[in-house]
Amino acid sequence: MSTPSGSGEADGAAPTASTFYDVYGPDAKPDVVFKEATSDSTLNLQDVQGLVTWVIGEGILPSWVFIKNKPLIPKVILLYVPGLDAALYMSQSCLLSSLKELCGNPKPVLASSCIPDERHTIDALLTCRVKRKRNAQTSNHSHESVGGKISSLDELKDVPFPVKYYTLSAKDLEDNGYPSSLPGFVFTVPAPSGSSPHEILALDCEMCVTAAGFELTRVTLVDIKGEVVLDKLVKPANPITDYNTRFSGITAEMLSDVTTTLQEIQEEFVGLVYKETILVGHSLENDLMALQISHDLVIDTAVLYKYNRGPRCKIALRVLANKYLSREIQNTGSGHDSAEDAKAALDLALLKIKYGPDFGSPPSFSRRKLASVLHESGKKCSLIDDVGVLDRYSDASCNSIAVFSDDDALSRSMKEVKNDKISFVWTQFSGLISYLLKRAQDPEKLKSCVAEAIALKTCDRKTARKRAKDQTCPELKEILSELDKKIRKLYDTLPENAMFIICTGHGDTPLVQRLKKMLNHGEETSESRQNIVEALEDLQAQAEVALCFCCVKH
């Protein structure tokens, strides 16, 4: 669209909403018009993110909504409210009257997975798929192409996403069988004050078969320079029945004079690997299980390089090393070399960090931060959230504002939306999901939730909805009421014609995850296993249906 003459806009400057008024008329207003729903019209989180790039960036026209007078919209505010699924909203709509009043009826949105977690949900909203440039790196680049020998992660400049973006989420750890809170396991601890712990270490272990199963026989840690910082043989506590030499490389002769015990190597390990250290490896759940150590900050190359047959199938380390590092490993015929394997895993992780999460995937699309994409369209962003989210999704072009409560998030957001230089504001109200997390960890409240879910299965839909409304506890009602007030306050602060999007992402996933853990670990409950399974099916289906509210401030 051509710029109206006499607008006073400098040559080459990006047009603002005011420059379009002469074209649309002084009384023109932008608006959101949802298209008629079809049987296959359920949205996903990428559709919500796509609306943002369409309105203020250079995105693709959405198929599910029409934006009337789009150029008149000066900014978009995206509010994330995890925990509010369709069932909770419908049963408590009287406490959330502002949502209906301001935005009308919401659109249903499918969660990012059958049991989503916060990181995956936010990732879908704050990253976008863009066409990869022809010269973009997609495969076969050795560690030398990353920059040769490096001594610190700080030397990896201008990477698409920060290093911690690639660490496993709590759900990833659980889904991939990582040890957590198991009897007798040792936890890594925070580094002592004033110390300089390793930023990143690669781990590989070898095991043999004993009367008790697989037990640890060798531990190797490699630093970012590729230098070995720990490499020790370990004497199993039980008699060895198979040295597993063809895979482990361990022989009876190698272990004949070894006296180092599991407890001794654990002490040495936690003196090198602190809670802040990123641990890299291939299917590290097996190594940590053998070490009997629990550590949460993990980059797992078996998860990082996805197999097209699904998450249950994982690509072997030697295959990845050959394809992306042009390196032959595990081919001597005398078993694996744990130092060699650790270095290979580290170099594979560095390739992903250097070239982005889609390195090694089909070359048509890649993921980028939403803030970076909008910046290239001349739009400045403000991200208002906790430090973990900012570390992953902000960049040098945007305002990164760390907050520690919903009140803080509201106050900072109300300030940012008034800034004429800001075109996109992201924030999160996490009070509801925090409550749901605490409730899922409370044995009595958990028992009550399960009993209620089982009882609801015997009711018809109308009775179930009335019962859900009546059974809601005062604490949850207060949280929903406060949430409604905050949403109203934020809306009232918005400038005229600003677009307001509220996305809930998912429902009560803490309850779903807790029940799955109960079933997997065989925990004793007052309810039968079959009743819990049936309740879990309903609760999971309910949590998968998120909501998207959208309106323009008039």
Side-chain angles (χ1 to χ4, degrees):
M1 179 179 295
S2 59
T3 304
S5 59
S7 65
E9 182 185 348
D11 291 341
T16 61
S18 61
T19 65
F20 294 95
Y21 278 95
D22 290 341
V23 175
Y24 289 95
D27 298 323
K29 297 285 184 184
D31 212 344
V32 178
V33 181
F34 289 121
K35 296 184 179 179
E36 187 174 347
T38 59
S39 58
D40 61 347
S41 64
T42 303
L43 307 180
N44 58 43
L45 294 167
Q46 286 77 15
D47 292 321
V48 178
Q49 176 267 310
L51 176 60
V52 176
T53 55
W54 166 246
V55 172
I56 57 173
E58 297 175 0
I60 300 171
L61 173 69
S63 61
W64 55 281
V65 65
F66 173 68
I67 307 301
K68 183 180 178 183
N69 297 337
K70 177 169 75 82
L72 300 183
I73 297 175
K75 66 182 65 191
V76 174
I77 294 83
L78 177 52
L79 171 62
Y80 176 48
V81 186
L84 182 62
D85 55 38
L88 180 58
Y89 171 70
M90 291 174 67
S91 68
Q92 303 299 324
S93 56
C94 59
L95 298 176
L96 298 164
S97 57
S98 292
L99 286 172
K100 178 76 177 287
E101 181 184 341
L102 301 176
C103 304
N105 291 325
K107 295 284 284 184
V109 180
L110 280 181
S112 58
S113 64
C114 58
I115 314 175
D117 67 4
E118 294 305 294
R119 190 187 300 183
H120 293 162
T121 304
I122 294 174
D123 193 70
L125 292 169
L126 286 180
T127 67
C128 39
R129 295 173 74 239
V130 296
K131 284 190 175 181
R132 187 177 282 155
K133 296 177 182 178
R134 288 184 179 274
N135 63 348
Q137 308 283 4
T138 60
S139 62
N140 292 346
H141 295 278
S142 68
H143 178 47
E144 283 70 30
S145 70
V146 177
K149 294 286 185 179
I150 59 176
S151 58
S152 168
L153 291 177
D154 293 336
E155 294 177 32
L156 287 171
K157 301 295 184 183
D158 301 320
V159 293
F161 289 87
V163 176
K164 286 188 178 179
Y165 177 87
Y166 302 92
T167 57
L168 298 182
S169 68
K171 180 175 178 294
D172 292 330
L173 291 168
E174 183 175 350
D175 288 350
N176 287 280
Y178 276 80
S180 174
S181 303
L182 294 178
F185 273 59
V186 174
F187 289 83
T188 52
V189 298
S193 177
S195 66
S196 300
H198 288 282
E199 299 172 287
I200 187 168
L201 289 171
L203 168 67
D204 191 70
C205 295
E206 304 299 346
M207 283 77 82
C208 66
V209 182
T210 74
F214 280 100
E215 287 194 56
L216 186 70
T217 53
R218 183 181 178 185
V219 182
T220 306
L221 286 170
V222 174
D223 67 16
I224 195 168
K225 295 179 285 188
E227 297 177 355
V228 175
V229 297
L230 175 66
D231 188 17
K232 283 197 173 180
L233 296 172
V234 181
K235 182 179 178 62
N238 297 283
I240 297 173
T241 58
D242 183 355
Y243 283 89
N244 204 27
T245 305
R246 61 196 179 281
F247 296 115
S248 69
I250 302 297
T251 64
E253 185 180 7
M254 291 172 65
L255 292 180
S256 61
D257 297 325
V258 173
T259 58
T260 303
T261 65
L262 175 64
Q263 290 72 27
E264 288 171 340
I265 203 66
Q266 285 175 331
E267 290 178 14
E268 193 165 351
F269 186 92
V270 297
L272 291 167
V273 179
Y274 290 102
K275 198 173 184 66
E276 302 87 348
T277 303
I278 298 172
L279 207 54
V280 178
H282 196 78
S283 292
L284 270 183
E285 72 277 10
N286 300 316
D287 304 84
L288 291 172
M289 192 69 74
L291 277 162
Q292 295 188 24
I293 286 177
S294 182
H295 183 72
D296 294 337
L297 207 54
V298 170
I299 294 178
D300 188 338
T301 51
V303 178
L304 210 54
Y305 288 82
K306 301 185 187 302
Y307 196 27
N308 57 13
R309 292 186 183 178
R312 295 286 180 186
C313 301
K314 295 179 179 179
I315 308 173
L317 180 62
R318 58 179 173 78
V319 174
L320 293 174
N322 180 267
K323 183 174 183 179
Y324 298 114
L325 301 172
S326 300
R327 188 183 305 172
E328 295 286 340
I329 64 171
Q330 303 176 355
N331 65 344
T332 63
S334 58
H336 297 185
D337 180 330
S338 55
E340 180 182 60
D341 289 355
K343 289 176 185 178
L346 177 62
D347 290 346
L348 286 165
L350 289 172
L351 281 176
K352 279 280 188 179
I353 294 165
K354 176 66 177 177
Y355 295 116
D358 293 286
F359 171 83
S361 62
S364 52
F365 288 92
S366 65
R367 267 177 295 169
R368 297 187 59 205
K369 295 176 185 176
L370 176 61
S372 302
V373 171
L374 291 177
H375 175 64
E376 290 177 359
S377 300
K379 302 298 191 295
K380 190 170 179 63
C381 306
S382 288
L383 304 187
I384 304 165
D385 214 317
D386 68 51
V387 174
V389 172
L390 300 181
D391 284 346
R392 283 184 171 84
Y393 302 105
S394 65
D395 66 9
S397 71
C398 69
N399 294 337
S400 301
I401 303 170
V403 293
F404 304 95
S405 69
D406 284 1
D407 287 336
D408 200 10
L410 174 62
S411 143
R412 299 306 297 266
S413 299
M414 290 172 67
K415 180 179 179 181
E416 287 300 297
V417 299
K418 296 176 183 177
N419 187 340
D420 292 338
K421 296 179 180 179
I422 301 299
S423 300
F424 175 70
V425 176
W426 158 278
T427 196
Q428 174 180 179
F429 290 162
S430 58
L432 175 58
I433 195 68
S434 296
Y435 165 78
L436 297 177
L437 281 164
K438 291 178 183 176
R439 186 175 72 173
Q441 299 305 317
D442 185 307
E444 288 304 315
K445 291 181 179 178
L446 178 65
K447 181 179 176 181
S448 176
C449 287
V450 173
E452 184 61 26
I454 292 170
L456 288 174
K457 286 184 67 64
T458 63
C459 304
D460 58 61
R461 184 175 297 181
K462 185 176 180 180
T463 304
R465 191 177 299 172
K466 183 178 186 301
R467 182 176 179 131
K469 180 179 180 180
D470 295 340
Q471 293 293 320
T472 302
C473 72
E475 185 180 0
L476 177 55
K477 288 184 177 181
E478 177 65 22
I479 288 169
L480 294 174
S481 178
E482 286 300 312
L483 172 62
D484 188 69
K485 291 176 184 177
K486 286 182 172 64
I487 290 171
R488 168 65 75 173
K489 283 184 179 179
L490 183 54
Y491 176 86
D492 289 343
T493 313
L494 300 181
E496 186 177 7
N497 294 337
M499 175 175 281
F500 193 23
I501 303 172
I502 304 164
C503 185
T504 68
H506 55 75
D508 190 356
T509 51
L511 178 58
V512 173
Q513 291 164 356
R514 183 70 185 90
L515 292 181
K516 284 183 72 71
K517 191 172 183 179
M518 285 173 58
L519 293 171
N520 292 338
H521 292 180
E523 296 180 25
E524 292 186 7
T525 66
S526 57
E527 299 289 348
S528 72
R529 182 180 178 87
Q530 182 59 35
N531 280 345
I532 293 177
V533 169
E534 291 179 1
L536 178 60
E537 289 174 355
D538 288 351
L539 291 168
Q540 182 169 312
Q542 179 177 311
E544 289 173 17
V545 184
L547 299 171
C548 175
F549 299 84
C550 186
C551 65
V552 174
K553 171 76 177 289
H554 290 149

